[in-house]
Amino acid sequence: MWFITTGHNKVRFYLPNGSTVLVNKIEWINEIKTEKMEYYSSEPFVKDPQQAISALYEAGVKGYSTKLKAKEFAKTLPIGTWKYLQLK
């Protein structure tokens, strides 16, 4: 599932009407550890994608089944910074 976010430090998600919302129920982390590696980033990762998708739908944020569909929506937004976020 693809979502459109702002490019700000505090990630806000775009609603279908073009406004943004901060979804506080999403837990963000800056590191991922696996058996083979540790990955750190200044860009946050979503800790639990399924929980995040549920929180986004509760907040009224629409997800898109493909990146192309997300891009079509993003083109309707005012000129500014936005990013794609894919949650599986």
Side-chain angles (χ1 to χ4, degrees):
M1 191 65 54
W2 293 86
F3 298 90
I4 305 297
T5 69
T6 62
H8 305 295
N9 289 344
K10 287 191 175 185
V11 177
R12 298 178 68 87
F13 291 84
Y14 280 96
L15 297 169
N17 67 6
S19 64
T20 61
V21 64
L22 180 63
V23 182
N24 291 319
K25 290 184 178 182
I26 297 175
E27 188 173 354
W28 298 91
I29 57 174
N30 289 89
E31 63 182 276
I32 295 176
K33 295 180 182 181
T34 66
E35 291 179 14
K36 296 182 180 181
M37 69 175 232
E38 293 182 28
Y39 184 76
Y40 300 91
S41 174
S42 59
E43 293 282 325
F45 303 101
V46 172
K47 182 175 181 179
D48 181 349
Q50 291 303 315
Q51 182 276 333
I53 290 170
S54 177
L56 289 166
Y57 281 123
E58 284 179 25
V61 177
K62 183 178 179 191
Y64 300 90
S65 58
T66 67
K67 188 174 182 179
L68 181 60
K69 289 181 181 181
K71 186 175 184 177
E72 288 173 11
F73 168 70
K75 287 180 182 180
T76 69
L77 298 172
I79 295 175
T81 304
W82 50 267
K83 295 181 181 180
Y84 299 108
L85 175 66
Q86 183 180 24
L87 299 174
K88 297 180 182 182

